[in-house]
Amino acid sequence: FIESSDTSIQQSIISHNVEIYSIVRLWNVYGPERSAVEGNPSTGNAKGHVISDWISQCTQNGFAQPLSDGTESRQFIHVDDVAVALIEAMKLHRELKPVTDISSGKWTTLIEVAAIIRASIPGGCVIEFKKAKLEQQCKVSSDCTDSCIETNNQHGCQLQNIRKNVDPVLSGVLWAAWNPSISLQQGIEMTYQE
């Protein structure tokens, strides 16, 4: 199993080893972990994971500081469900699609996640989102390349608000043998208690 968002690496592996490998991508895994807030930032999670980071911030500070407006959706999956799914994927790897995603299959906004966290922590927690910011991306035109962004808009490109959810590649073979068993609420409560 290889963790990579680089599709060229994935395609190279598939084209050379199609009968040996399946690429399994994990979507927004959460569960107990040591965050940078808990100790030395160099040994903690510098990139961050929304659920565990917010729970850690809430328990230590009484509040969490999201980095977004909370309207984006993600598919979260508990680490215990991932462990079971990976075992099943290894058993079934010859039958899987060349690229298979492990996900809950359920879109949840960060605002909904914050509500579950608040309800799971005794005494609650303040989680205030930033004011809405548009995710902006250039429209491609003859004088504008797709790399043109709002901060580098010397070509006068037209900007538009683009917010899309890309569905995971779920393998029917894997889903026939495995389904997530931990709801988001159960998983958040487990993460808080651990």
Side-chain angles (χ1 to χ4, degrees):
F1 293 92
I2 295 176
E3 181 180 337
S4 173
S5 59
D6 185 342
T7 55
S8 63
I9 293 172
Q10 294 173 7
Q11 292 306 319
S12 174
I13 291 170
I14 291 167
S15 65
H16 292 94
N17 303 295
V18 75
E19 293 193 28
I20 300 172
Y21 295 102
S22 292
I23 295 172
V24 177
R25 300 180 299 194
L26 309 178
W27 281 54
N28 297 294
V29 179
Y30 71 96
E33 66 177 79
R34 181 162 185 222
S35 73
V37 174
E38 294 175 0
N40 182 345
S42 65
T43 61
N45 178 9
K47 183 176 179 186
H49 294 96
V50 171
I51 293 174
S52 56
D53 286 353
W54 288 357
I55 289 172
S56 178
Q57 290 174 19
C58 284
T59 56
Q60 291 185 10
N61 309 321
F63 65 91
Q65 297 177 318
L67 302 176
S68 72
D69 66 7
T71 58
E72 67 271 24
S73 297
R74 299 184 186 176
Q75 292 192 22
F76 294 96
I77 186 161
H78 193 271
V79 67
D80 290 353
D81 277 332
V82 170
V84 175
L86 287 172
I87 290 168
E88 290 301 321
M90 285 186 271
K91 292 177 190 174
L92 300 167
H93 79 276
R94 293 191 188 278
E95 300 171 49
L96 293 179
K97 294 178 181 180
V99 175
T100 297
D101 293 330
I102 295 178
S103 166
S104 67
K106 297 176 185 173
W107 290 105
T108 306
T109 67
L110 295 184
I111 292 170
E112 294 168 311
V113 170
I116 296 170
I117 290 173
R118 279 189 211 101
S120 299
I121 294 178
C125 178
V126 175
I127 302 176
E128 290 185 15
F129 291 92
K130 296 180 183 243
K131 291 183 181 178
K133 291 182 179 179
L134 293 179
E135 276 188 24
Q136 296 184 326
Q137 179 176 331
C138 271
K139 274 187 178 176
V140 177
S141 69
S142 59
D143 359 11
C144 179
T145 66
D146 59 1
S147 64
C148 176
I149 57 173
E150 185 178 15
T151 58
N152 187 18
N153 197 1
Q154 71 269 15
H155 299 292
C157 305
Q158 291 183 339
L159 300 178
Q160 63 182 352
N161 183 16
I162 297 177
R163 187 179 295 264
K164 295 180 181 178
N165 287 337
V166 178
D167 285 321
V169 179
L170 301 175
S171 168
V173 172
L174 181 58
W175 277 79
W178 165 87
N179 277 291
S181 63
I182 300 170
S183 72
L184 185 57
Q185 181 166 346
Q186 291 170 319
I188 287 173
E189 290 171 0
M190 291 166 57
T191 302
Y192 168 71
Q193 292 176 10
E194 292 181 31

